[in-house]
Amino acid sequence: MPGISLGIDLGTANVTIYVPGQGVLLREPSVIAVDKQTEQMIACGQDAYTMLGRTPDSIYAVRPLSRGVISEYDYAEQMLRAFVRRVCAYKVIKPRAAVSIPSSITEVEQRSVVQAVLASGTRRVILIEESVASAIGAGISIEQPHGSMVVNIGAGTTDIAGLSLNGIASSLSVRVGGNDLDEAILRYLHNRYNHIIGLLTAEQVKISIGCALPTRFDRKVDVKGRNAVSGLPCIQTVSSSEIYEAISDPIREILSAIQQVLETTSPELAGDIMSEGICLVGGGAMLNGMAEAITRFTGVDCYVAENPMDCVAVGTGKSLKYIGMMFTGAYDIGQFSFPLSDSANL
C-alpha cells in the first residue's frame, strides 16, 4: 500500500506542506517555543509566533530556520515533527517528502535539511531547488525549449532563475528577503525618531504601508514602541514614503540580482523572457509595487503568480510525479536539476 507524499516548503518565515490531490494542508510560521530548563517544546507555529518578544526568561521562542537553511537543528527537528504529525496523523506508512531548498545551499546545509526531515517522521526525502519548484507551482511549462524566469522573494533569500527544458539555464540566490526589509524599518525608526520597535511590529508596518515604489497617496500608520531616550512607551506616526525610503537599499539589492541573471542569460532565452515576462512568487511578491519596480528596472514585464506564497510548496509536491521512479531506485540524479543528498537513499 503506497504511503502519502508531501511537498514541503521549508521557509525562513513559514513552513508550508502540500499533499498532491488534497492541496495545502498546513501553513504555519517557522517558530518554536521551548522550555529553557527541559528543552521540551511548549508550542510551535502560530501559537509560538505570538510569543516572539513576549516570553518570560523561562521560555525561549526562536526561529530555527535562517536564510532558508537550518540554524537550530534540534528545534527545527521538533517543529517539523509536530507539523508532519498534523498532516499525517493516523497514517500507518511513513510519508515520503520532497523539500525545497535555495540554490545557494551548501552540502553540509543540504545534509542537515535531509536529516531533520527524515527525523520528523518521513521515510524518503528528495531536495528540489526553490526556483524549479516555484515555476512548477506557478503553472509554468518548464519542459519546453522555451525560456522563462521566476523570482522567488522569501523571508531570508531571493532566488532568481532562468529556466528551460526542465533545467536552470542561469540563476542566482542572494541572502536578502522580507526579513531584511523588516530590519531596515526597525533601524530607520530607531535612527530617525529614537523609536524602538520589535521585528513583529516592523513586519506589520511593512504589510500595512510598505511599498517598493513611491505612491501617489501617502498613507500613514501609528506605530507603538518605546522611546530610546526616555525609555517610556510611545506612539510614532510614520508614512508610506518614509517606509519606502527605509527599505530602498534591500529592494535595490534584489533588483540588482535580477539584472545579473538577465545579463548571464543567452540571447535566445532572454528574448523568450521578454515575451513571457518575469513571474514573481513568494511572500515578497505581495509587497505593494514590487512587480512594477522590477518592470521599470529591467524593462521586462513582471507579474505576480496566483497564490504566490504557496507556489513553492505546490510545485514541490507536484514535482513528485516527475520523479516517482526514484522511490524504486530508478531515478536519474541529474534529471530535472534536483540535487539529491546521499541520505535520501536511507
Side-chain angles (χ1 to χ4, degrees):
M1 182 176 63
I4 190 174
S5 299
L6 307 177
I8 302 177
D9 176 13
L10 206 59
T12 302
N14 297 286
V15 173
T16 307
I17 299 180
Y18 170 87
V19 177
Q22 299 182 47
V24 174
L25 298 188
L26 182 139
R27 187 192 299 107
E28 292 279 352
S30 308
V31 185
I32 182 173
V34 296
D35 188 292
K36 283 188 177 180
Q37 291 185 341
T38 64
E39 291 292 317
Q40 295 298 311
M41 183 180 70
I42 296 173
C44 67
Q46 187 62 45
D47 293 337
Y49 177 80
T50 58
M51 298 181 186
L52 285 172
R54 298 184 174 96
T55 58
D57 292 338
S58 59
I59 298 176
Y60 182 44
V62 61
R63 292 184 183 272
L65 301 165
S66 177
R67 303 294 180 186
V69 298
I70 293 175
S71 56
E72 301 275 359
Y73 178 83
D74 291 337
Y75 297 149
E77 181 187 320
Q78 291 186 57
M79 181 184 70
L80 286 172
R81 186 182 296 115
F83 289 158
V84 170
R85 283 177 178 172
R86 291 185 195 178
V87 175
C88 303
Y90 311 114
K91 299 294 181 183
V92 176
I93 300 177
K94 288 184 178 181
R96 54 197 180 188
V99 185
S100 62
I101 55 170
S103 58
S104 61
I105 195 171
T106 65
E107 265 189 52
V108 174
E109 291 167 340
Q110 281 190 30
R111 189 171 295 275
S112 180
V113 169
V114 171
Q115 290 174 344
V117 177
L118 284 171
S120 69
T122 61
R123 61 186 169 93
R124 190 66 57 88
V125 177
I126 352 169
L127 303 180
I128 173 175
E129 291 188 9
E130 287 185 358
S131 301
V132 178
S134 57
I136 295 172
I140 298 175
S141 299
I142 63 173
E143 69 274 6
Q144 301 297 325
H146 190 82
S148 56
M149 175 170 278
V150 176
V151 177
N152 177 20
I153 305 177
T157 61
T158 295
D159 283 274
I160 308 114
L163 305 162
S164 179
L165 289 171
N166 290 324
I168 297 177
S170 58
S171 68
L172 181 63
S173 179
V174 291
R175 299 202 168 185
V176 180
N179 287 352
D180 296 274
L181 304 183
D182 300 339
E183 291 169 3
I185 293 171
L186 186 149
R187 289 194 301 271
Y188 180 87
L189 292 178
H190 187 200
N191 295 336
R192 179 159 185 172
Y193 295 111
N194 288 321
H195 192 63
I196 300 176
I197 61 173
L199 287 173
L200 292 187
T201 303
E203 182 180 21
Q204 291 303 316
V205 173
K206 177 187 67 179
I207 293 171
S208 299
I209 60 172
C211 51
L213 288 173
T215 57
R216 180 182 300 179
F217 303 103
D218 204 15
R219 295 176 296 159
K220 296 183 178 182
V221 67
D222 293 332
V223 183
K224 297 177 182 178
R226 176 166 56 87
N227 186 275
V229 178
S230 67
L232 299 176
C234 63
I235 296 177
Q236 178 64 50
T237 302
V238 294
S239 64
S240 56
S241 59
E242 290 177 305
I243 300 304
Y244 163 72
E245 180 184 346
I247 65 176
S248 59
D249 285 344
I251 292 294
R252 274 195 293 267
E253 287 187 58
I254 294 172
L255 295 176
S256 177
I258 297 171
Q259 180 182 8
Q260 290 181 53
V261 175
L262 288 170
E263 288 173 349
T264 58
T265 302
S266 70
E268 288 78 9
L269 292 181
D272 294 338
I273 294 169
M274 175 67 76
S275 301
E276 299 295 328
I278 298 173
C279 181
L280 189 58
V281 303
M286 302 175 73
L287 180 68
N288 185 28
M290 190 66 214
E292 186 180 352
I294 294 173
T295 298
R296 290 189 184 182
F297 187 82
T298 63
V300 181
D301 287 339
C302 181
Y303 64 94
V304 179
E306 186 178 354
N307 300 321
M309 294 185 67
D310 294 337
C311 282
V312 175
V314 172
T316 303
K318 287 184 175 180
S319 69
L320 290 166
K321 69 182 179 181
Y322 295 112
I323 53 181
M325 293 184 299
M326 70 82 54
F327 297 116
T328 60
Y331 173 64
D332 181 353
I333 292 176
Q335 195 176 4
F336 300 109
S337 300
F338 295 150
L340 194 62
S341 168
D342 294 337
S343 300
N345 293 320
L346 294 176

